[in-house]
Amino acid sequence: MNIAVVGLSHKTAPVEIREKLSIPTPQAESAIAHLCSYPHIEEATILSTCNRLEIYIVTSDAEHGVAEVRQFLSEYGKIPVHQLRPYLFILLYQDAVTHLMRVAAGLDSLVLGEGQILAQVKHTHKLGQQHNGIGRVLNRLFTQAIAAGKRVRTETSIGTGAVSISSAAVELAQMKVDNLAACRITILGAGKMARLLVQHLISKGATQITIVNRSMEGAQELARQFCDAPLKLHLLSEMTTVCAASDIVFTSTAATEPLIDRAKLETILEPGQPLMLFDISVPRNVHSDVNDLAHVRAFNVDDLKAVVAQNQESRRRMAMEAEVLLDEEVEAFDSWWRSLETVTTISCLRDKVETIRTQELEKALSRLGTEFAEKHKEVIEALTRGIVNKILHDPMVQLRAQQDIEARKQAMETLCVLFNLDTESQAHQQARV
């Protein structure tokens, strides 16, 4: 078996590609089932955020398993494999393990040390469990990665003052206008990103904030978290009217198609009326054609990189401390992973010897007769078990203690040959436990 991750992120692919491969939570079940139906994929789960799409798999054959993930992504995103390939990264075993640890710790984020990603990794773990994609190996890997992410945030200061995508968007808006307090600001959406937008806008002095949401209940829930701010609330059906009366619009919804495009804006904006749009959604909520309008300026998540770069250096030193902790977590997982090889061989050897013991015991008892067998069965049973355990004890201890990978592998192969063990079928049974 091998662990692999196939994916793309803000580092490897533009938002135009990432949005085509975004897999929202409602589609996760069918996507995981599809992945697990491939012949070389034993386990699978999906991490999908605005800045990344990563598929983690346990595969019986790395080359074929990775090819199957590529095929799945090609079909899902309706992008030919040869066009998709340049945007993908592929990491195997220890590189994949290290990558997930870094992701959970916020070290691979656009915003170094951002906190939301750990919750997203937890969500990925939960989804994989719910939809039968995660088995023994990925369960251990994600549990270790989540623990690593928590440890980094507890034992270092990397998360202190770390900006989010939302706060970076607010900073960019502040760079583009003279005074946020004088701007009429609309936010489309009322989720976590919208809550952070409101929080950072208020901290920058914004006072004229309107929330537009699909449900009034969601908008009211958001407003209750900012009792001192006079937030105006509207339904999505009123979006065009509200946007027409705005100077700045932030979009942060789960819509899979653009909510705002050039045609809509042309019908609601007066000639020469300026409007700034900050779209932090993936898939994008704002169509790129709005930039064709002379007085409209639109920014998406990829435009935040310059803002984020200004905040990176102060946390880079903290990241170096975090890397040391992650090395320890990777080593802990690696030790567990190495032990799996011996567990399979040892289990197989024990099963075989136990079968032989049981068969021979039954033969002996049948020859001794029923009366003798009933009277002394427990004693003879204990005797045979004791003999088997004594014989197996030293080989098992030595096999587990062997640190050299090649030496351990050779020892296991020798055991398999000498005792004619079928470890492959045993491994498949244990993989789903």
Side-chain angles (χ1 to χ4, degrees):
M1 288 190 298
N2 206 335
I3 299 171
V5 55
V6 181
L8 70 171
S9 71
H10 61 278
K11 296 180 179 179
T12 68
V15 66
E16 293 84 358
I17 298 296
R18 298 201 307 274
E19 65 186 359
K20 291 180 180 179
L21 292 166
S22 175
I23 302 178
T25 297
Q27 295 178 27
E29 181 175 6
S30 60
I32 289 171
H34 190 167
L35 285 162
C36 289
S37 71
Y38 284 107
H40 298 95
I41 296 178
E42 305 284 340
E43 302 177 31
T45 194
I46 299 164
L47 174 60
S48 182
T49 74
C50 62
N51 278 325
R52 69 182 68 246
L53 182 282
E54 298 177 354
I55 295 179
Y56 290 83
I57 63 169
V58 174
T59 174
S60 55
D61 182 295
E63 184 178 354
H64 286 95
V66 166
E68 287 164 356
V69 175
R70 270 200 303 255
Q71 184 61 38
F72 165 79
L73 291 173
S74 173
E75 293 172 3
Y76 180 86
K78 297 180 175 58
I79 305 171
V81 172
H82 71 275
Q83 291 182 15
L84 183 60
R85 195 185 298 267
Y87 299 111
L88 297 178
F89 64 83
I90 298 163
L91 301 172
L92 300 179
Y93 183 54
Q94 189 155 355
D95 290 337
V97 172
T98 302
H99 176 74
L100 180 58
M101 301 282 183
R102 297 187 79 256
V103 168
L107 301 189
D108 195 64
S109 297
L110 173 62
V111 179
L112 188 63
E114 61 111 348
Q116 280 184 298
I117 188 63
L118 182 57
Q120 291 163 336
V121 171
K122 290 179 182 177
H123 182 63
T124 296
H125 184 210
K126 184 179 178 181
L127 279 180
Q129 290 177 314
Q130 285 179 341
H131 303 317
N132 301 314
I134 283 185
R136 183 181 190 181
V137 175
L138 286 187
N139 182 59
R140 178 68 180 226
L141 174 59
F142 272 82
T143 301
Q144 192 95 40
I146 291 165
K150 290 178 181 176
R151 186 181 173 197
V152 164
R153 286 167 174 80
T154 302
E155 297 182 30
T156 76
S157 303
I158 193 167
T160 305
V163 296
S164 63
I165 296 296
S166 297
S167 66
V170 172
E171 285 189 35
L172 181 58
Q174 190 175 39
M175 290 167 58
K176 301 298 179 183
V177 298
D178 293 331
N179 182 12
L180 283 176
C183 295
R184 298 166 297 173
I185 300 171
T186 294
I187 299 173
L188 304 188
K192 291 180 181 178
M193 301 282 268
R195 178 180 61 80
L196 290 171
L197 282 169
V198 174
Q199 177 182 321
H200 292 294
L201 284 166
I202 291 173
S203 72
K204 299 293 184 183
T207 56
Q208 305 176 66
I209 304 174
T210 299
I211 305 298
V212 177
N213 194 49
R214 182 176 51 186
S215 73
M216 185 55 69
E217 183 182 358
Q220 290 169 342
E221 174 60 31
L222 174 59
R224 279 194 286 271
Q225 298 177 55
F226 299 94
C227 298
D228 296 333
L231 302 181
K232 297 177 182 177
L233 310 179
H234 291 272
L235 289 170
L236 198 59
S237 57
E238 304 170 86
M239 179 188 73
T240 53
T241 304
V242 176
C243 288
S246 302
D247 302 306
I248 296 174
V249 175
F250 291 91
T251 64
S252 176
T253 81
T256 56
E257 298 291 336
L259 298 175
I260 299 174
D261 57 22
R262 175 178 175 171
K264 277 194 178 76
L265 292 184
E266 283 181 323
T267 61
I268 64 171
L269 296 181
E270 297 292 333
Q273 180 182 345
L275 180 65
M276 282 192 185
L277 300 155
F278 296 88
D279 183 8
I280 58 174
S281 302
V282 177
R284 286 172 294 175
N285 291 169
V286 179
H287 198 288
S288 58
D289 66 3
V290 300
N291 284 305
D292 296 336
L293 297 173
H295 295 87
V296 174
R297 298 180 66 187
F299 305 91
N300 60 48
V301 287
D302 285 355
D303 296 311
L304 302 180
K305 291 179 180 178
V307 177
V308 171
Q310 298 174 8
N311 299 292
Q312 295 286 70
E313 195 55 44
S314 62
R315 285 189 297 281
R316 201 157 271 135
R317 291 185 298 276
M318 303 174 200
M320 293 174 68
E321 298 174 24
E323 296 281 9
V324 175
L325 299 180
L326 293 185
D327 286 343
E328 295 175 9
E329 296 294 333
V330 170
E331 178 58 34
F333 178 82
D334 192 49
S335 295
W336 175 84
W337 174 265
R338 290 197 306 267
S339 74
L340 284 185
E341 297 176 309
T342 60
V343 166
T344 302
T345 303
I346 289 170
S347 296
C348 203
L349 178 59
R350 269 198 170 280
D351 289 348
K352 181 149 192 174
V353 173
E354 177 61 18
T355 300
I356 294 171
R357 185 195 70 82
T358 303
Q359 289 172 348
E360 294 304 312
L361 178 62
E362 288 176 356
K363 287 179 187 178
L365 291 175
S366 66
R367 288 197 297 269
L368 290 171
T370 306
E371 185 178 339
F372 180 89
E374 290 301 323
K375 186 177 180 181
H376 302 289
K377 184 176 179 180
E378 287 186 10
V379 175
I380 297 174
E381 177 90 20
L383 172 66
T384 57
R385 285 188 184 280
I387 292 171
V388 165
N389 288 337
K390 294 283 187 185
I391 292 172
L392 292 180
H393 177 73
D394 284 346
M396 289 181 176
V397 169
Q398 293 302 317
L399 192 57
R400 289 193 184 103
Q402 184 57 255
Q403 293 298 310
D404 183 78
I405 295 175
E406 287 304 315
R408 185 175 64 252
K409 185 177 180 182
Q410 186 174 357
M412 289 190 296
E413 288 175 351
T414 301
L415 271 178
C416 291
V417 170
L418 291 175
F419 288 91
N420 193 27
L421 303 179
D422 183 10
T423 55
E424 187 171 337
S425 60
Q426 181 91 11
H428 280 295
Q429 291 174 13
Q430 291 180 345
R432 302 301 293 186
V433 175

